[in-house]
């Protein structure tokens, strides 16, 4: 038996004191000892050589009680210190924090108002500039058309005069008189030949480029993708997926595989050579936007394609960006470019975007690629798009995923 303090004997017990407390249910003796192994009070018989707590660590109850009193005192001191600290924190720190929060909130409001006021002012100035530019271009085209009207009215009058003169000669002159008028006939004919037929002129057309503004384009793209206005729930058409691509269950992720899958049935819609896939949704008008996560791939293409895009074979007519049926932003290693109809325009990007936003405005006939993280317009294409157009994807390295 291990004991802390004197070893108890069979008749030993606490000295005389107040009324006796609870007794041991087994021996009927006072609980004057504490067994630390069993964490409970025991009697002398339990703690003795033949008792159940033989070999346990025991000590007198009053010693254990004193130890607990000391712990309580220590705990009370700690609680008092903790209470004092909390009181001080509530009295001294929190008011300062509250005052600072109010002050910083006020400064933050001022900053938001100031910056948005500047943006609003810049937008208003840009709006005024662009509207004046549109008005000026309208006036220029209108004046050009009026000038042409006057010019061709004079030309018509001159031609009518020449024709009347020549008809008069033909009708009223005899042979000799007609021969004598040969020089005049030549001059009239030469004068008529000097009046050229009308030709198509860009001067008569309204120049839509007058509305193109980098600031407006960037703000517009940020507003569309930032507010999710016009975004689409794009999913891949599994019938079009190349056998070199794996499609996720939600039909939003494409993963490249070097081995051609034998599980894909080769239907008429499927690309059988290039690692391409079309979305199930097509667009014929309006504004459309979607986002693609491309951070895991160093070889991909994202854009739009006509439904007439060929699907079979290894020729350029099926390769995205190498034909008249596809318009794509592409990355290969550290090379970025926009491709359409075999024309490839390099883009001087220093790093690859983690996400790529695509905006298709069929009313304005505009396709725009945007990096949401930096708010940067990467490329804008203006042209004539034949409908319907499908979002199109290609990946030759790891994975790309449609985010929205």
């Amino acid at each position: 038996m291990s004991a802390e303090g004197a070893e108890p004997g069979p008749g030993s017990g606490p000295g005389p004191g107040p009324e006796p407390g609870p007794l041991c249910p087994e021996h009927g003796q006072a609980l004057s000892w504490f067994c630390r192994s069993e964490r409970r009070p025991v009697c002398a018989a339990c703690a003795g050589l033949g008792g159940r707590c033989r070999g346990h660590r025991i000590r007198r109850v009053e010693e254990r009680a004193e130890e607990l009193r000391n712990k309580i005192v220590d705990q009370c001191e700690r609680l008092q210190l903790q209470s004092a600290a909390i009181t001080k924190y509530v009295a001294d720190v929190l008011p300062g924090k509250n005052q600072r929060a109010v002050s910083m909130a006020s400064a933050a409001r001022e900053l938001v108002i100031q910056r948005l006021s500047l943006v609003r002012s810049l937008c208003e100035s840009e709006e005024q500039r662009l509207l004046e530019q549109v008005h000026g271009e309208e006036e220029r085209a209108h004046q050009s058309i009026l000038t042409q009207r006057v010019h061709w009215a004079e030309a018509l009058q001159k031609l009518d005069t020449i024709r009347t003169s020549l008809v008069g000669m033909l009708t009223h002159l005899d042979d000799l008189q007609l021969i004598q008028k040969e020089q005049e006939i030549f001059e009239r004919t030469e004068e008529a030949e000097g009046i050229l037929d009308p030709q198509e002129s860009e001067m008569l057309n309204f120049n839509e480029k007058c509305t193109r503004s980098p600031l407006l384009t960037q703000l517009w793209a940020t507003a569309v993708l930032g507010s999710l206005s016009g975004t689409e729930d794009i999913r891949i058409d599994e019938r079009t997926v190349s056998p070199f691509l794996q499609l996720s269950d939600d039909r939003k992720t494409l993963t490249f595989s070097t081995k051609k899958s034998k599980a894909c049935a080769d239907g008429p819609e499927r690309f059988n050579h290039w690692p391409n896939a079309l979305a199930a949704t097509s667009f014929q008008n309006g504004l459309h936007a979607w986002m693609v996560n491309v951070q895991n791939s160093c070889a991909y293409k994202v854009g739009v394609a006509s439904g007439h895009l060929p699907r079979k074979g290894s020729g350029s007519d099926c390769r995205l960006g190498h034909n008249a049926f596809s318009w794509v932003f592409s990355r290969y290693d550290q090379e970025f470019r926009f491709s359409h109809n075999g024309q490839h325009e390099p883009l001087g990007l220093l790093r690859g975007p983690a996400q790529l936003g695509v905006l298709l405005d069929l009313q304005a006939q505009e396709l725009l690629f945007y990096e949401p993280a930096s708010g940067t317009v990467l490329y804008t294409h203006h042209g004539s798009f034949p409908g319907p157009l499908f979002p199109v994807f290609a990946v030759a390295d790891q994975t790309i995923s449609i985010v929205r």
Side-chain angles (χ1 to χ4, degrees):
M1 177 179 68
S2 167
E4 298 177 10
E7 180 180 344
S12 62
E19 295 182 4
L23 301 177
C24 174
E26 183 178 352
H27 301 103
Q29 296 182 16
L31 301 175
S32 55
W33 296 87
F34 179 77
C35 178
R36 300 192 66 174
S37 300
E38 296 186 5
R39 307 293 298 175
R40 68 186 183 89
V42 296
C43 71
C46 291
L49 292 175
R52 60 181 295 174
C53 296
R54 182 172 57 87
H56 293 180
R57 298 171 62 199
I58 64 171
R59 64 189 308 178
R60 290 190 176 278
V61 164
E62 58 266 26
E63 293 176 356
R64 176 58 179 168
E66 184 64 21
E67 182 183 72
L68 290 177
R69 288 188 183 91
N70 291 334
K71 284 186 177 180
I72 292 173
V73 169
D74 291 342
Q75 184 63 39
C76 288
E77 289 177 353
R78 283 195 293 269
L79 292 175
Q80 186 175 1
L81 291 174
Q82 187 177 5
S83 298
I86 292 174
T87 302
K88 181 177 176 59
Y89 179 80
V90 171
D92 299 342
V93 177
L94 287 184
K97 289 283 186 182
N98 186 63
Q99 185 176 357
R100 179 169 174 77
V102 170
S103 176
M104 291 187 69
S106 177
R109 290 189 191 94
E110 290 297 324
L111 181 64
V112 169
I113 293 171
Q114 182 184 32
R115 290 188 175 181
L116 285 178
S117 177
L118 180 60
V119 171
R120 193 177 296 111
S121 174
L122 186 61
C123 288
E124 290 173 354
S125 297
E126 187 70 354
E127 178 185 19
Q128 183 66 26
R129 185 185 74 82
L130 289 174
L131 290 178
E132 289 177 357
Q133 202 159 296
V134 169
H135 178 72
E137 177 61 18
E138 181 185 26
E139 285 295 309
R140 185 207 60 75
H142 180 65
Q143 288 299 322
S144 295
I145 293 170
L146 286 180
T147 301
Q148 286 285 299
R149 285 183 182 277
V150 171
H151 169 76
W152 290 113
E154 292 176 351
L156 285 173
Q157 185 176 3
K158 185 179 293 187
L159 288 174
D160 186 63
T161 300
I162 293 172
R163 181 178 179 278
T164 300
S165 174
L166 291 176
V167 169
M169 291 181 187
L170 184 64
T171 304
H172 300 104
L173 298 182
D174 57 25
D175 294 348
L176 183 58
Q177 290 174 325
L178 192 62
I179 292 172
Q180 291 174 340
K181 291 287 187 178
E182 182 176 1
Q183 180 62 29
E184 184 178 345
I185 294 171
F186 172 77
E187 291 174 354
R188 290 300 178 100
T189 302
E190 191 175 54
E191 184 179 3
E193 290 176 348
I195 300 175
L196 303 177
D197 293 337
Q199 300 292 325
E200 176 62 34
S201 171
E202 286 298 322
M203 295 294 293
L204 303 178
N205 298 329
F206 181 86
N207 183 9
E208 294 179 332
K209 294 181 179 180
C210 69
T211 62
R212 295 180 188 173
S213 156
L215 174 62
L216 177 60
T217 299
Q218 186 164 341
L219 291 174
W220 173 74
T222 302
V224 172
L225 287 174
S227 65
L228 305 184
S229 171
T231 56
E232 310 290 334
D233 181 20
I234 305 295
R235 296 180 189 270
I236 305 295
D237 184 348
E238 57 187 351
R239 299 173 302 170
T240 68
V241 177
S242 162
F244 290 101
L245 298 177
Q246 296 177 0
L247 181 63
S248 62
D249 292 339
D250 64 359
R251 295 165 48 208
K252 286 180 173 286
T253 299
L254 291 167
T255 302
F256 177 71
S257 174
T258 56
K259 294 183 179 180
K260 191 174 184 179
S261 172
K262 296 181 180 179
C264 298
D266 189 16
E269 297 90 355
R270 191 176 306 283
F271 294 94
N272 68 351
H273 179 81
W274 298 108
N276 303 341
L278 285 177
T281 307
S282 64
F283 309 121
Q284 290 185 297
N285 49 56
L287 171 65
H288 308 276
W290 58 98
M291 203 104 69
V292 186
N293 190 332
V294 294
Q295 63 182 340
N296 296 324
S297 180
C298 289
Y300 62 82
K301 295 179 181 179
V302 173
V304 295
S306 165
H308 300 297
L309 177 68
R311 318 289 173 88
K312 308 301 180 184
S314 59
S316 293
D317 56 341
C318 303
R319 191 178 182 187
L320 299 186
H322 289 255
N323 48 67
F325 306 109
S326 55
W327 299 257
V328 293
F329 175 99
S330 67
R331 175 182 181 178
Y332 181 74
D333 197 14
Q334 294 305 310
E335 179 182 306
F336 304 88
R337 61 189 186 181
F338 172 79
S339 300
H340 169 63
N341 203 21
Q343 302 296 315
H344 310 288
E345 186 168 347
L347 307 178
L349 304 185
L350 299 178
R351 58 176 179 79
Q355 289 187 339
L356 189 63
V358 184
L359 278 75
L360 176 64
D361 189 345
L362 288 169
Q363 180 180 355
Q365 295 288 284
E366 181 173 302
L367 175 66
L368 183 147
F369 298 96
Y370 177 86
E371 184 184 23
S374 64
T376 302
V377 175
L378 303 177
Y379 188 80
T380 304
H381 174 77
H382 300 270
S384 178
F385 296 104
L389 291 179
F390 294 80
V392 69
F393 312 88
V395 56
D397 173 59
Q398 299 191 56
T399 295
I400 63 173
S401 300
I402 302 169
V403 179
R404 302 189 181 113

